Amino acid sequence: MDATGIGLWGVPLAILGGAIRVSTPFIFVSLGEAITERSGRINLGLEGTLVFGAMAAYAVAVMTGSPWLGLIAAAFAGLCFGLFHGWICKFRGVNDIAIGIAQMLFGSGLAFFFGKPFIQPSAPDLPAIPLGAWSNIPQVQAALDVNVLFLIGATLAVFLWWAFRNTRAGLILRVVGDSSDAARAMGLNPDTVRLIATGIGGALAGIGGAYLSLYYPGSWTEGISSGQGLMAVALVIFARWNPLGCFAAALLFGGAGALGPALQSVGVTQGYYLFYAAPYILTLIIMIATSSPSRSLAGAPGELSITK
Amino acid sequence: MSATTNSKAVGVETIGMTMRFGAFTALDDVSVKVPASSFHALLGENGAGKSTLVKCMMGFYHPTSGDILVDGREVAIGSPRDASALGLGMVYQHFTLVPSLTGAENLVISREKVPGIIDWRSERGELAVFMERMPFKLPLDVKVAELAAGEKQKLEIVKQLYLGRSFLVLDEPTSVLTPGEAQEVLGLVRAMTRAGGLTVLMISHKFHEVTAFADDVSVLRKGKLTGSGRVTDLDHKAMAAMMIGDQPIAALDSRAEPKLDAEIVLKVKALKAPDRTGLKSIRIEDLGVRSGEIVGIAGISGNGQKEFLEVLAGQRPRDTGEVMVRGTAYAATRAEARALNVRLILEEPLKNACAPKMTVAENISFRTFDIDGNGKPVNWISAGAIRAFSARLVEQFKVKTASLSSPIASLSGGNVQRAVLARELTGEVDLLIVSNPCFGLDFSAVAEIRARIMKARNAGAAVLLMSEDLDELLELSDRIFVMSDGALVYETPIAQASVQTIGEHMAGHH
């Protein structure tokens, strides 16, 4: 069979491959945001965390030669960003959304500042598992070249879904997210729980950033994220704060993001760039479709400032 | 499972409890004895020190002086944790259950020791065994948000028992329940105290509940114990005297004879509007309120009566239907309200009827600041006129405020409502829409507000009164409607009204 001649079949295949490749950062950021929002806070700063994580991972990988050390560095940087957000939001009169926006700009700016020397050198990639090796069609192989982080993300989604209802930590998180008063009556300190939840959320967003710079697209540039951290926040609302929903929604967004390049690759030369806007349009449509002027969202954590 | 339920009830006694916050004495030498397995009622107005007393017992406050005895032994209760270790628990007036968790999840997570990973199979088994011993039957696999108020209240009590508490403080436990639910819950709790497994201290302001269920009663006023004794030895009048002392209470105007052929001021036809959740709608087929009568709307909160009044007040859009005031279509605009003399007294006045940070004077003149004496719009607003107008009303309605330029949020609840009454009841009133006017107010404010509403009725206003307090409706209304599941399901003239029948219709089965 002619390896390049699979024709229009290339589009769904490229979308599938793209969904797997592009969705991974969405998965991590949205799972992290799901944890944070379930605790009753919203962290819009994950966009900045994502960019800084990408830079930190790339820089450490360049300097040490190990992508895994880069990944750990990104997670640690994300943890610090998250803890900072969680700490500052416990003060009276501090608005989590405003702090998030400040952190988004701060994280990106800091990443650009420290990242300048790393735009040129190349870092080792995170390993991928060639699940498509059974096929001799290059497109199939390319589509099914699955990064370990995708598999970890998928496992994490299932784990979180289970943990939200079957572990003490999961129940405590939901209690705090739904009612600060109830949490206090139980002797829990909501600020502490939210601090930890925001910290973990930040660490996961950092890992999402590491994937961007160390696997796909696989280099550090200043335009690396293009708003994925923000879209992930929208995605959590779309997924109704359910980790499995986050995973599915991330795949959907990833697939939408792959639409443009896929059409381009099969020779569509007119208007394909419109499809590059697909994820953004999807975000808008979802936000409009799932909102209502007269009621708050079903399943929303009661303490969340945007749904109160 | 750490919970035990067959532990014996404990008795609690306070001796010479005094609690000062700075110069303010919230509790002054209060000694109350609640023997084991008794049902004790604690009566008092808002601010009388009831919550301060129980918060001292529960370890939230540390009393300035005084001792607590549990089962006759002196104990130090430094924190709520100490209190629960002694078997003391509290059911709060507002629910402390987590709405998005199921009953079972709520029970398990509230335990002192929860395993890192919860084995739901065995937990469910143990809960089932535990629930066997409970007098309440409750669905534990449903999200708490979906439970009715009565079920939530039962679950709160069950939670305390599950946690092994054998002395319970119930803070106005029936304020959100229907009369039927209240009877049931208190009856079952009463039975448990009789059986010897539980001691109860109930904060209340409903005399009939105290008489029906409690063994003993203690009454607080302004931080002092003003009386206590066996319930059987005291009548309502004696209890009221202990509660409010000798301050004058405004008496209701005697009810002017209703005229059956009086003009129908408010007419609602085939009204449909979405409710709070957006999932259901409220439907009012036909409702008319005549001049000179009070029409009461009863219902358990959440059955659409709040939404109905919000539509009338212009706070909520309607889908279809018409609202007519004296034959004119009414869409709750400022101009229409002014032309047709429609006035509103809404619940939580600070939230619904005031701009909290604006001054008392400004809030009182909301209806009149932009018109002159002849009802013509003015271009320049006169601060002097606003002050003069509101000074007169503050005087007339006895609003207690530090000054006319204090923000209205700094006033007590009763005085905020008085200020709103002053604004709404001044001038001609043809239609008065009232919703839970006395919620959370103290005795004398309540009496005064009810008297003002009755006065407006006698002066010829048509009054639509929605209240969750059935006693209030029975006291004021000429006719009572019951609203259930978004519709008016029952109507009775006051002469034939029975709490029993109304309660059944409120609960939705008849």
Side-chain angles (χ1 to χ4, degrees), chain B residues 209-291:
Chain B
E209 275 173 7
V210 174
T211 315
F213 297 102
D215 299 315
D216 309 290
V217 60
S218 296
V219 187
L220 292 180
R221 183 173 80 237
K222 292 181 182 161
K224 290 198 178 71
L225 187 68
T226 50
S228 60
R230 304 290 299 173
V231 166
T232 44
D233 301 339
L234 296 166
D235 61 5
H236 291 185
K237 211 165 168 188
M239 287 192 251
M242 291 177 191
M243 225 167 115
I244 54 179
D246 43 15
Q247 58 180 304
I249 290 296
L252 279 189
D253 261 22
S254 57
R255 188 185 289 271
E257 204 49 45
K259 290 190 215 67
L260 290 173
D261 54 349
E263 182 196 6
I264 296 179
V265 177
L266 173 72
K267 185 92 189 147
V268 180
K269 259 208 150 100
L271 177 79
K272 202 158 163 281
D275 80 342
R276 204 159 295 274
T277 62
L279 303 173
K280 290 188 288 187
S281 58
I282 59 160
R283 308 161 307 281
I284 305 293
E285 287 312 328
D286 188 21
L287 173 71
V289 184
R290 288 177 190 277
S291 160

